[in-house]
Amino acid sequence: MARADLMSRAQAGDGEAFRALTEPHRRELQVHCYRMLGSFQDAEDALQDTMLAAWRGLERFDGRASLRTWLYRIATNRCLDALRSARRRPAKQWDIPGSEPPEPTRLGEIHWLEPYPDALLDGAVSVPLGPEARYEQTESISLAFVTALQILPPRQLAVLILRDVLGFHANEVAEMLDTTVESVKSALKRARAGMQRRLPVTTAREQPPAGDSPAEDAIVAKFVSAYESADIDALVALLTDDVFMSMPPIPLEYQGRDSVARFCAFIFGSVPRFELLPTRANGQPAFGVYQHTPTGIHASGLFVLTLAGDRIDAMTAFENTVLPKFGLPQSLPSAR
């Protein structure tokens, strides 16, 4: 069926025609909402709000912009509404009775970050970008990039994603945000400066190995062996000098090999044995983490690794509540 016929039917109230028009954009819109909000659950909610608003407002779609651009306008403004209403998970305190972790390097600013399953990236990060996009799609979904985005004020955040990640023209962004081109340019300049301060200096760092490559498989296998055997020396040997560890929504952050080693030694001393199940998040190797307890093998969280060359540059630990999004169970059979 021709696109014009689908649009006519959808504007007349045909739900199937509406789904046929919007479904091709659904995955990329969800990733867009995730970049803006840093939370998988918030992104899902914003996507549902976007589709509902698009359905209700479709009769006013005049075709001056493409349907994709119109949907991005709605999604961006729904995310801005969510950011302004400050619907955020609060910071969580360390709550394991009888144990106190080592003194952190600092307390983090970002408490609500969640990982994004690679399984949902198919078709979302291979979309054609505008000519002014400055970032590779794989870089712009990484945990480091998404975390840095969350520091920006909401309007700067939206402008940087629309311009530098997706490559929309300044006049398109101005129309999406009901502002002027001059305002967009000013916000983009400030946003770029903010990102430059927050993101690690990549020029001096080794690039990560390609996903699922033999080089990545090798370091991942070493990490699994060291962690499952609680071999702190083997684990530390895999870390860069300035390795970074965080665990949102707990604000504790550890920077540097010695600091991270102390925390890992504390964990290994508290739990007799771990098992790891591989998955992927944000284009990076990840693992469901399970600990042996008197009542069985239960999930304790999700680890996401950031690699630099043949070393681990960052480890981000998330709560076990994120595991269902990755198809991972909350417990494992005891006979493993």
Side-chain angles (χ1 to χ4, degrees):
M1 182 179 297
R3 191 175 183 85
D5 292 338
L6 276 176
M7 181 59 71
S8 296
R9 287 179 52 187
Q11 289 180 319
D14 187 328
E16 288 300 320
F18 174 77
R19 279 186 285 276
L21 286 169
T22 58
E23 192 62 29
H25 307 294
R26 192 177 187 91
R27 283 282 177 87
E28 62 172 303
L29 288 170
Q30 186 177 30
V31 171
H32 175 59
C33 293
Y34 172 71
R35 287 189 180 107
M36 288 200 63
L37 300 174
S39 161
F40 183 89
Q41 186 57 56
D42 286 354
E44 283 194 323
D45 293 343
L47 178 63
Q48 295 307 316
D49 290 346
T50 296
M51 290 304 177
L52 181 59
W55 170 246
R56 289 175 172 171
L58 192 62
E59 63 182 18
R60 298 190 298 274
F61 174 70
D62 57 13
R64 287 188 301 117
S66 69
L67 177 65
R68 177 176 180 263
T69 299
W70 184 68
L71 290 171
Y72 266 101
R73 173 178 183 152
I74 296 172
T76 300
N77 284 285
R78 287 298 179 275
C79 290
L80 287 173
D81 289 344
L83 289 169
R84 293 188 191 104
S85 66
R87 294 182 304 189
R88 287 288 180 244
R89 293 184 300 169
K92 181 179 178 181
Q93 300 305 309
W94 184 267
D95 60 356
I96 300 178
S99 69
E100 281 296 325
E103 186 71 20
T105 307
R106 58 182 171 269
L107 298 180
E109 299 176 68
I110 304 302
H111 310 141
W112 57 87
L113 187 72
E114 291 179 340
Y116 198 94
D118 272 26
L120 299 182
L121 291 175
D122 290 344
V125 295
S126 58
V127 296
L129 301 178
E132 298 181 53
R134 293 167 55 126
Y135 294 101
E136 294 289 338
Q137 289 290 280
T138 50
E139 177 187 3
S140 66
I141 197 63
S142 69
L143 278 178
F145 189 88
V146 174
T147 302
L149 286 173
Q150 305 313 305
I151 305 295
L152 299 176
R155 185 58 66 101
Q156 292 181 30
L157 165 64
V159 169
L160 186 130
I161 294 173
L162 293 170
R163 293 280 284 125
D164 284 358
V165 175
L166 296 168
F168 284 108
H169 292 293
N171 60 325
E172 292 177 298
V173 176
E175 187 168 345
M176 288 181 190
L177 299 177
D178 291 321
T179 189
T180 64
V181 171
E182 290 73 20
S183 178
V184 166
K185 290 180 178 178
S186 176
L188 181 60
K189 183 178 180 180
R190 295 194 301 273
R192 285 173 176 170
M195 289 293 282
Q196 191 170 15
R197 288 192 299 271
R198 293 289 177 175
L199 278 179
V201 179
T202 56
T203 53
R205 293 177 181 271
E206 291 188 71
Q207 292 298 306
D212 293 320
S213 65
E216 184 186 83
D217 291 345
I219 187 171
V220 163
K222 291 177 182 177
F223 173 78
V224 171
S225 175
Y227 208 89
E228 290 189 337
S229 61
D231 187 338
I232 190 67
D233 292 334
L235 179 61
V236 169
L238 298 173
L239 307 179
T240 60
D241 290 341
D242 58 349
V243 62
F244 173 70
M245 184 170 190
S246 59
M247 53 198 78
I250 298 172
L252 306 182
E253 294 183 350
Y254 297 87
Q255 180 87 46
R257 183 181 287 163
D258 291 343
S259 182
V260 171
R262 282 193 296 272
F263 181 81
C264 290
F266 160 74
I267 293 296
F268 291 159
S270 304
V271 178
R273 183 183 167 197
F274 287 100
E275 294 195 34
L276 304 182
L277 287 186
T279 185
R280 296 191 68 83
N282 297 75
Q284 301 168 219
F287 306 89
V289 182
Y290 297 81
Q291 61 186 57
H292 285 246
T293 74
T295 61
I297 307 173
H298 301 299
S300 62
L302 184 91
F303 257 155
V304 183
L305 303 183
T306 299
L307 306 182
D310 61 353
R311 293 289 184 268
I312 296 170
D313 198 43
M315 296 190 292
T316 310
F318 297 96
E319 295 184 306
N320 60 12
T321 53
V322 307
L323 293 179
K325 301 297 184 184
F326 291 82
L328 295 175
Q330 290 291 340
S331 61
L332 298 178
S334 295
R336 284 177 63 90

